[in-house]
Amino acid sequence: MSSAMDSRTAIDLARGIIMGQNPCKAEEAFEILQRVSSNRKEKLHDIAREVVLGVAGNAGTTHFEP
C-alpha cells in the first residue's frame, strides 16, 4: 500500500510540475506523462519520479497522520 501511495504522490507531483511549466490542465499533463511512458516503454510512475527528481532533487514522499 505504501508503495502505491508513493507512486501516486510522484505522479501527482509530476503532473503539477508539468502544469507549472506548460499552460495545460491536469488531464493534459497526465496525458503527457502517459505519452512519454509509452514512447520510452517505461512505467508511468518511473517517468513521474524522474520529473520530480529533476526539479526537486528528491522523489517526494507521502506523509500520513495517525
Side-chain angles (χ1 to χ4, degrees):
M1 176 88 141
S2 176
S3 170
M5 291 304 293
D6 287 341
S7 292
R8 188 70 214 171
T9 297
I11 291 168
D12 288 342
L13 288 170
R15 229 173 35 174
I17 290 167
I18 292 169
M19 290 168 60
Q21 293 176 341
N22 304 284
C24 65
K25 295 181 180 184
E27 296 82 21
E28 294 168 304
F30 189 74
E31 288 171 5
I32 290 169
L33 286 170
Q34 286 180 313
R35 207 170 22 243
V36 172
S37 171
S38 178
N39 288 342
R40 290 189 185 179
K41 296 181 178 26
E42 295 180 33
K43 293 187 178 193
L44 187 100
H45 63 87
D46 291 335
I47 299 297
R49 283 194 183 105
E50 284 182 36
V51 170
V52 175
L53 280 170
V55 172
N58 63 46
T61 56
T62 303
H63 300 283
F64 292 102
E65 295 288 325

